[in-house]
């Protein structure tokens, strides 16, 4: 199961909104016959790939699969039918599918197949935390990413600063590949002029790029409009502005949300997320957006730099988050170049 779990991770960034799943078929001597993983959304599921590779050798074999085989027709036929047809003797399922319409275990047992459930379950749930959260709550899993210096400063009031080590870039690209949308606030796009694309290994993944812009002040020359990537959505306040003609010509979507005292409320933004059926959102905004979403963030990623911004700038010109995401203690720390990546998972 550990090998199937490792294999499943090859689907990261390619199977959204589906879960990452791996499968291995072994013979009666526990020797591997074949394996497979869910490679892309809409394509064959892991167990189908592994069983097709095994062919007649699957007869009497054991199938290890990280997630309960599907029992309904979606983009592909029910995998449980393929499992039964293969004549495997035993199926070891890492984790039960959280979707209540998936009811494969009883069907397998009714067809004389031995079923074992719950092997490496917690690790599988953690890997597919976005899928599990969305299925169980019908609301997006929210990840917040921020870089900070030794004093907790996360930026300059009007300059773009490179705080994190370049070694963090691949991790950021992986985070972007995991989600359906990336959101930044007005101050971030004004100061950093980001493009918010996925580059490198997961470049085919194109999450939506959502910008908060109550007065629609963004320039048509902004870098985000010059770089091909996911769809761009500008959230604005119809009481303060109306969409410009050039926005429509560039294919930019504008969506009006209600504001309170000139600012978007969390409720309005979260309603927009649900309306779009985003299963996951990455916040790459500054202090205002991060503070606003602080209670609703499920996963924090902090790039803790060894830099001290006060060596170059007075504190009055620097931005502090003013909150400690890890007041309960960070659960993991990984060295990335000179930085530490801290996470609450």
């Amino acid at each position: 199961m550990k090998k199937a779990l490792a294999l499943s991770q090859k689907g990261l960034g390619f199977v959204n909104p589906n879960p990452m799943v791996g499968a291995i078929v072994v013979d009666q001597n526990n020797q591997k016959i074949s394996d497979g993983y869910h490679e892309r959304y809409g394509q064959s599921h892991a167990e189908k790939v592994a069983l097709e590779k095994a062919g007649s050798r699957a007869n009497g074999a054991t199938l290890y699969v990280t997630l309960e085989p599907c029992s309904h027709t979606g983009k592909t036929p029910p995998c449980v039918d393929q499992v039964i047809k293969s004549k495997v003797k035993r199926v070891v399922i890492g984790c039960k599918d959280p979707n209540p319409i998936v009811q494969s275990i009883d069907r397998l047992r009714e067809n004389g197949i031995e079923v074992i459930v719950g092997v490496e379950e917690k690790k599988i749930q953690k890997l597919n935390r976005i899928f599990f959260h969305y299925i169980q709550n019908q609301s997006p899993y929210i990840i917040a990413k921020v870089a900070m210096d030794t004093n907790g400063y996360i930026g300059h009031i009007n300059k773009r600063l490179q705080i994190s080590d370049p070694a963090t870039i691949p991790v950021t690209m992986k985070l972007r590949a995991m989600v359906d949308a990336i959101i930044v606030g007005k101050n971030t796009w004004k100061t950093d002029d980001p493009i918010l694309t996925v580059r490198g290994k997961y470049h085919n993944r194109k999450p939506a790029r959502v910008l908060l812009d109550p007065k629609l002040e963004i320039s048509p020359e902004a870098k985000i409009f010059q770089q091909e990537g996911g769809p761009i959505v500008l959230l604005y306040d119809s009481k303060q502005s109306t969409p410009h003609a050039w926005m429509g010509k560039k294919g930019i979507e504008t969506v009006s949300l209600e504001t309170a005292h000139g600012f978007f409320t969390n409720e309005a933004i979260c309603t927009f997320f649900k309306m779009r059926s985003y299963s996951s959102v990455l916040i790459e905004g500054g202090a205002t957006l991060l503070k606003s979403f602080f209670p609703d963030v499920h996963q924090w990623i902090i790039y803790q730099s060894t830099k001290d911004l006060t060596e170059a700038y007075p504190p009055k010109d620097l931005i502090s988050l003013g909150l400690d995401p890890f007041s309960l203690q960070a659960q993991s720390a990984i060295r990335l170049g000179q930085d530490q990546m801290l996470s609450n998972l």
Side-chain angles (χ1 to χ4, degrees), residues 191-307:
T191 304
D192 293 351
D193 198 13
I195 58 174
L196 305 178
T197 56
V198 181
R199 302 179 292 281
K201 180 179 179 180
Y202 307 105
H203 66 276
N204 289 324
R205 178 77 174 138
K206 300 185 187 301
R209 297 174 285 176
V210 182
L211 282 67
L212 302 185
D213 190 4
K215 298 180 181 179
L216 291 177
E217 299 171 285
I218 197 165
S219 163
E221 305 305 317
K223 289 180 182 177
I224 196 169
F225 303 133
Q226 318 308 321
Q227 296 284 335
E228 185 178 347
I232 300 170
V233 184
L234 300 180
L235 301 183
Y236 77 103
D237 179 5
S238 60
K239 296 177 183 177
Q240 300 185 62
S241 183
T242 55
H244 306 297
W246 63 264
M247 294 176 175
K249 291 178 181 178
K250 285 182 176 288
I252 301 158
E253 186 179 1
T254 52
V255 176
S256 176
L257 296 186
E258 289 189 8
T259 59
H261 308 293
F263 296 95
F264 296 119
T265 63
N266 261 26
E267 291 76 14
I269 296 173
C270 287
T271 297
F272 166 77
F273 290 160
K274 289 183 179 181
M275 180 180 68
R276 292 306 170 97
S277 298
Y278 292 151
S279 66
S280 49
V281 177
L282 174 62
I283 300 175
E284 291 202 32
T288 301
L289 188 60
L290 289 167
K291 287 178 182 179
S292 174
F293 271 89
F294 188 87
D296 302 309
V297 172
H298 301 101
Q299 182 179 1
W300 282 91
I301 300 291
I302 305 290
Y303 297 147
Q304 182 65 68
S305 174
T306 56
K307 295 178 181 177

Side-chain angles (χ1 to χ4, degrees), residues 85-100:
K85 186 178 178 181
S86 74
K87 298 183 180 180
V88 294
K89 182 179 180 181
R90 185 171 68 139
V91 177
V92 181
I93 298 170
C95 186
K96 197 176 184 308
D97 195 306
N99 193 333

Side-chain angles (χ1 to χ4, degrees), residues 148-150 163 304-308 335 338-340:
M148 59 176 60
D149 80 343
T150 54
I163 299 174
Q304 182 65 68
S305 174
T306 56
K307 295 178 181 177
D308 182 354
R335 178 67 62 184
Q338 294 298 310
D339 292 0
Q340 270 197 322

